[in-house]
Amino acid sequence: MIVAEAVGRALAACGVGTAFGVVGSGNFHVTNALVAGGVHFVAARHEGGAATMADAYARMSGRAGVVSVHQGPGLTNALTGLTEAAKSRTPLIVLAGEATEVQSNFHIDQAALATAVGAVAMRVASPEEAVSRAVEAYRVAVGERRTVLLNLPLDVQSAPFEGPVDVMPPPAIAPAVPAAGEVAELARLLGAAERPVFIAGRGARHARRELEELAALAGALLATSAVAKGLFRGSPWDLDVSGGFATPLAAELIRGADLVVAWGCALNMWTTRHGTLVSPGAKVVKVDLDPAAFNTHVPADLGVAGDVARVAEALAAQVAPRPGYRSPEIAARVRAEGRWRNVPYEDESGGGRIDPRTLSIGLDDLLPRERIVAIDSGNFMGYPSMFVDVPDEGGFCFTQAFQSIGLGLATAIGAAIARPDRLPVAALGDGGALMGIAELETVVRLSLPMVIVVYDDEAYGAEVHHFGPHGHPLGTVTFPPADLAAIARGHGCAAVTVGGPGDLAGVAEWVDGPRDRPLLVHAKVTAEHGSWWLEEAFKGH
Ligand SMILES: Cc1ncc(C[n+]2csc(CCOP(=O)(O)OP(=O)(O)O)c2C)c(N)n1
Ligand SMILES: [Mg+2]
């Protein structure tokens, strides 16, 4: 056995289930060793796609993601996806060959690259530490929620490895017990609040039951950040997403809160519309594993350090039932106005183009409810996020921490592999779709029953709507029509072009058929004006 094989075997023994990558000479043996150890390997067509697939897979499966890349350009190609993962605290292990010889064409300072984007850099520096380094990389990724680059120098990885690959998988870390004083103070605030609202973020995605039980006692309304969308689906007190995507009703009720408790949620500019959704008179509490979150963005009056589920459970024993914000009148309003599709609008479809709201509502009606929706970035992104419903927090995958376009299709692939029981839906702009299109072949090759919806305005709409009103030239951000349906058919997908509501019949046909190939919905969308969340976004630039 060589060192590369020992590393692959060790990671397989740690419990890695699925790995993604693009294989070259420098990661050939380690990848094959993963496979030999029972790991399912998914070959991507671009390392950027592989990194994002692994990220999305980890988010939606709750397991570590692994991505395997060639030295040098294999790693640089993966960097945008790795940055997204690092910013999102996704447990991800990157296995990379490393050309340590400076004369090599492949040589770069890989450790510096990793740290520059917020990842942790490690290296297997000798055969003796092959197994211990691999286990350490796994432990840091999972235990500390980090993206870890494990460099495999070419000379070391090809050296003989003596001895057995004996791996004790690192033990699961029990969440720390929250401080009694902080919990008691939050219990006191909950006991005094007339209109409490809970906003749950990424750090609360595992804690639905605990939060719902506590919210029922405290009379709290429930909302989430975009990444946790769906967490409270089915609750009559679910306001859906807080922030730019919030319904007018959700915005009104969150603004009306006298206590906002953020659970595993930083209350960033997106979730709070630059702080404006939190009333100046409201008390703000943050419950977070990381105390560094307490004073960022909208700062907390009280911080409770700890795991969200544990803290909520501890509180439930201390809070006496009270109606709080939960009146019959509010319940009726949430029922009537709590979803975007119930908010009236004027359908602007016409002239061979479909209103993106009408498109999204039409898809919501047609697609099976057991779905997992992935969203790319751009002006269009709010339409699928707001009008296409999801069954729960496992139905929405939002790789937007780095705000990169082009990650949506790979996100949908990783999510689809994590949740094969659900219909994957990729919602993309034409710009993001063409940027990430290398992975369309992967969708077809893997026989994923995916629906890929392209909101095509033949432009980088975000830029058009931001700069257009000021009279700037837009030639750099507008494009001639591209026949995306034909491109998709060329890859082996089914495809429909939608130029008006009537064309959605083609989607219904696919849904009712064998779904034996992916469907690309090429939607020519109206684009007379930009979206309201986009204006909000540009305030942050
Ligand atoms: C990798 C990357 N390049 C450029 C940008 C800047 N950018 C933000 S939105 C956008 C336009 C995206 O176009 P499209 O996917 O068609 O969506 P639309 O805005 O038209 O709805 C661009 C270029 C970015 N966020 N990420
Ligand atoms: Mg566009």
Side-chain angles (χ1 to χ4, degrees), residues 161-421:
F161 174 80
E162 311 291 345
V165 181
D166 268 343
V167 171
M168 285 285 288
I173 303 155
V177 180
E182 291 167 358
V183 172
E185 178 59 9
L186 178 48
R188 195 188 64 72
L189 291 172
L190 285 169
E194 299 292 324
R195 296 176 308 284
V197 169
F198 288 1
I199 304 181
R202 185 182 63 228
R205 289 178 73 246
H206 63 294
R208 174 183 182 148
R209 183 181 55 78
E210 293 83 354
L211 288 176
E212 282 199 340
E213 283 174 11
L214 178 65
L217 290 171
L221 303 183
L222 298 162
T224 69
S225 67
V227 282
K229 181 178 168 71
L231 183 62
F232 300 120
R233 197 59 85 247
S235 161
W237 308 104
D238 173 21
L239 302 178
D240 203 8
V241 174
S242 173
F245 300 161
T247 57
L249 177 70
E252 175 195 324
L253 295 177
I254 295 165
R255 277 199 188 103
D258 60 352
L259 173 66
V260 173
V261 188
W263 300 89
C265 177
L267 295 181
N268 67 20
M269 66 177 189
W270 304 100
T271 310
T272 63
R273 296 190 187 170
H274 290 88
T276 61
L277 289 185
V278 180
S279 147
K283 281 256 181 272
V284 175
V285 181
K286 290 188 185 178
V287 180
D288 208 293
L289 280 176
D290 184 0
F294 296 158
N295 287 316
T296 55
H297 307 292
V298 175
D301 299 299
L302 170 69
V304 182
D307 171 73
V308 164
R310 299 274 320 248
V311 174
E313 235 165 25
L315 279 159
Q318 298 181 30
V319 175
R322 52 192 278 117
Y325 220 158
R326 295 187 169 193
S327 66
E329 185 222 337
I330 296 284
R333 287 196 69 196
V334 173
R335 247 192 332 272
E337 313 164 46
R339 291 292 175 274
W340 269 107
R341 58 175 300 152
N342 299 332
V343 177
Y345 72 96
E346 206 161 303
D347 185 353
E348 294 171 359
S349 303
R353 308 202 79 91
I354 187 168
D355 188 309
R357 295 166 291 190
T358 307
L359 167 70
S360 306
I361 292 171
L363 292 170
D364 189 40
D365 288 338
L366 287 172
L367 300 177
R369 200 175 139 65
E370 280 300 308
R371 59 182 77 143
I372 186 160
V373 180
I375 312 269
D376 211 315
S377 201
N379 175 67
F380 80 96
M381 68 193 288
Y383 300 113
S385 301
M386 301 189 313
F387 293 94
V388 178
D389 201 14
V390 297
D392 55 33
E393 79 288 357
F396 195 69
C397 195
F398 199 65
T399 44
Q400 300 282 340
F402 195 27
Q403 235 179 295
S404 174
I405 67 167
L407 305 186
L409 184 58
T411 299
I413 297 172
I417 290 166
R419 292 298 302 262
D421 55 318

Side-chain angles (χ1 to χ4, degrees), residues 98-136:
E98 187 185 30
T100 42
E101 182 61 56
V102 288
Q103 275 80 32
S104 165
N105 293 88
F106 289 128
H107 174 76
I108 47 170
D109 187 342
Q110 296 195 167
L113 271 191
T115 48
V117 301
V120 177
M122 293 187 187
R123 173 181 287 139
V124 175
S126 71
E128 292 70 40
E129 61 183 48
V131 171
S132 61
R133 279 283 170 226
V135 174
E136 175 69 355

Side-chain angles (χ1 to χ4, degrees), residues 143-165:
E144 300 177 22
R145 300 174 293 118
R146 299 299 299 268
T147 292
V148 179
L149 169 64
L150 184 60
N151 280 316
L152 306 171
L154 297 180
D155 53 343
V156 178
Q157 63 160 291
S158 59
F161 174 80
E162 311 291 345
V165 181

Side-chain angles (χ1 to χ4, degrees), residues 80 376-383 400 402-407 428-435 454-465 476-477 479 525 527 531 533-534 538 541:
T80 302
D376 211 315
S377 201
N379 175 67
F380 80 96
M381 68 193 288
Y383 300 113
Q400 300 282 340
F402 195 27
Q403 235 179 295
S404 174
I405 67 167
L407 305 186
L428 318 173
D430 50 309
L434 288 167
M435 190 177 277
V454 185
Y455 290 71
D456 184 10
D457 61 353
E458 292 147 24
Y460 292 150
E463 280 64 27
V464 167
H465 298 302
T476 52
V477 288
F479 296 89
V525 293
S531 53
W533 61 86
L534 184 80
F538 277 112
H541 279 223

